[in-house]
Amino acid sequence: MSGENSSADDVQADGGQRVWDVVVVGAGPAGASAAYAAAVAGRRVLLLEKAELPRYKTCGGGIIGPSRDALPPGFELPFKDRVHAVTFSHNGRFTRTRRSKQMMFGLINRPEFDQQLVEHAQKAGAELRTGVAVQRVEQHGSAVPDRRTVAVVLQGGETLLARAVVGADGSASRIGAHVGVKVDQVDLGLEAEIPVPETVAEDWKGRVLIDWGPMPGSYGWVFPKGDTLTVGVISARGEGAATKRYLEDFIARLGLAGFEPSISSGHLTRCRADDSPLSRGRVLVCGDAAGLLEPWTREGISFALRSGRLAGEWAVRIAEAHDAVDTRRQALNYAFAIKAGLGVEMSVGKRMLAVFERRPGLFHAALTGFRPAWRAFKEITQGRTSLGELIRSHPLAQRALTTFAPVPVATGRTAEADADDTDSEDSVTS
């Protein structure tokens, strides 16, 4: 590792063990972004990942404008397709395609995208270790040499020391459990990667499908990626059997039932409660580990990239903090930065979801027949505005949201287990 990432007072703890400025747990978009941000600042950064890279993740793979804006300088997106058209349907009916002269968003495969993000973090000076799982973190006790240090205990017993830790280890995060992350919305996403013949692939090129589904808050999608279509659905957890039927019916309705999926997978998304903490002592959480995603669409990549970058920047400040007061101050600044940006978008997204759960036909009619709504959709995906900015700057949108969702509405979804949901706590891939 480059000597430029050394910090004179952080090289060793008492007893001679190496101390990292920042240890990041999880090498997805949030973790890689955090590692990059901390390494660019000249810190000694260790990035831990339990899997071997590249690895598959259940994800539509849509890269919208805010995601592009949050990428490291010089990052070349590995697009499999560029989207200029969206076909909308309401549970398979009332189909209409709308088109844009400018690209709205691009489509990537997560293994390739995540690997590239990690490589950028490494080039910035971060060190990567794969195939290691974190069992727990400790901020007090015999494993912790002083109050400026966090112990990261790996499965197998090895202990790493750091001045700050960033938890980016996904929606079933161990670091999130340490921080005390609370969620108030849990959804089940099911997805199939379906290889298709060239003639079928050509029909989908440059166009995605969004289908408003039969259960409250549910929808399905088709994202084309060359010779493979990513087909998925998402709905509130607790509707596992119905969600599986929706995916099966959706695939059949599209005429794709005769093609064998190369991968079928499921994943739970968890959205934070408004009062959920984002830190504990010298430990921060970001991305899925913090429950940061857009509640209505459940879009998480842009939230992961943006919160990861902020977490990396504030982890550097926490690593430099010499007492608990300064540590707390920096952690509160991180929380403020998250809530002032991503938190505003999430608040509007929760209200949008509340309306969508009750009136999906209203959304379909607006997007397919009301030009300002379609324009807003394009501007959001292109990164020219956000949900929060849209509501603030467009009186008509503000009035509509106030009419149908006058105050932030809790979805009533909980993290309680449901027997007919996905087979494991976090994901199942076949």
Side-chain angles (χ1 to χ4, degrees), residues 28-374:
S33 296
Y36 175 86
V40 161
R43 301 294 90 188
R44 296 163 50 84
V45 180
L46 178 62
L47 177 58
L48 304 175
E49 169 58 44
K50 66 181 179 181
E52 297 296 338
L53 298 176
R55 53 36 181 154
Y56 180 80
K57 283 286 184 180
T58 305
C59 178
I63 301 295
I64 59 176
S67 298
R68 296 196 300 270
D69 295 342
L71 293 168
F75 190 97
E76 294 186 11
L77 279 158
F79 283 147
K80 297 300 179 185
D81 205 343
R82 290 167 168 79
V83 176
H84 288 80
V86 181
T87 298
F88 295 101
S89 62
H90 187 191
N91 198 21
R93 299 176 297 161
F94 314 116
T95 301
R96 183 176 180 187
T97 299
R98 305 209 68 165
R99 302 184 184 276
S100 170
K101 292 180 180 178
Q102 294 180 310
M103 184 184 85
M104 287 181 287
F105 56 96
L107 302 174
I108 52 91
N109 285 327
R110 279 289 303 277
E112 187 179 0
F113 177 70
D114 290 11
Q115 177 70 37
Q116 214 168 300
L117 283 170
V118 168
E119 288 171 0
H120 272 258
Q122 289 177 286
K123 288 174 184 175
E127 185 171 316
L128 173 69
R129 283 185 62 181
T130 60
V132 290
V134 171
Q135 188 176 75
R136 65 185 184 278
V137 293
E138 297 180 6
Q139 301 193 64
H140 306 282
S142 59
V144 183
D146 58 61
R147 293 181 180 179
R148 289 189 61 208
T149 307
V150 181
V152 181
V153 183
L154 307 181
Q155 286 184 359
E158 181 184 357
T159 299
L160 307 171
L161 300 179
R163 297 299 185 209
V165 171
V166 175
D169 48 334
S171 62
S173 169
R174 289 181 181 272
I175 312 302
H178 172 81
V179 167
V181 171
K182 296 183 290 183
V183 300
D184 66 3
Q185 176 183 329
V186 183
D187 294 284
L188 171 65
L190 300 176
E191 196 168 74
E193 301 286 350
I194 305 178
V196 294
E198 185 177 348
T199 52
V200 177
E202 188 64 28
D203 182 53
W204 285 97
K205 188 174 182 180
R207 178 175 65 94
V208 302
L209 169 65
I210 297 176
D211 178 73
W212 314 117
M215 298 90 72
S218 67
Y219 75 95
W221 62 89
V222 179
F223 286 178
K225 300 171 185 176
D227 60 359
T228 298
L229 300 179
T230 298
V231 184
V233 300
I234 195 162
S235 184
R237 189 180 187 183
E239 298 285 348
T243 306
K244 291 171 186 175
R245 284 195 302 272
Y246 177 28
L247 179 60
E248 291 168 0
D249 293 345
F250 187 42
I251 290 173
R253 194 164 66 223
L254 293 166
L256 300 173
F259 303 115
E260 185 68 26
S262 58
I263 299 174
S264 296
S265 63
H267 183 70
L268 294 176
T269 64
R270 297 175 171 90
C271 188
R272 70 187 294 273
D274 289 340
D275 62 346
S276 179
L278 291 162
S279 67
R280 178 180 173 185
R282 290 177 173 267
V283 179
L284 305 177
V285 286
C286 60
D288 285 344
L292 293 168
L293 73 158
E294 200 282 288
W296 173 36
T297 64
R298 291 78 149 189
E299 190 277 321
I301 294 178
S302 77
F303 280 72
L305 293 169
R306 290 180 284 173
S307 65
R309 182 182 63 193
L310 290 170
E313 292 169 354
W314 258 275
V316 168
R317 295 176 173 90
I318 287 174
E320 295 168 348
H322 286 275
D323 56 42
V325 173
D326 194 20
T327 299
R328 179 63 177 161
R329 183 184 302 116
Q330 301 304 338
L332 286 171
N333 286 339
Y334 168 66
F336 177 79
I338 291 291
K339 291 174 183 177
L342 300 180
V344 171
E345 293 181 37
M346 291 182 70
S347 178
V348 175
K350 285 184 179 181
R351 296 174 71 187
M352 296 282 281
L353 176 63
V355 179
F356 175 62
E357 286 179 327
R358 297 195 301 269
R359 304 286 295 274
L362 180 68
F363 278 81
H364 183 71
L367 285 166
T368 58
F370 187 49
R371 185 168 295 178
W374 168 242

Side-chain angles (χ1 to χ4, degrees), residues 373-386:
W374 168 242
R375 187 183 306 121
F377 180 89
K378 288 193 297 181
E379 290 179 351
I380 289 170
T381 58
Q382 290 166 342
R384 289 189 282 167
T385 189
S386 68

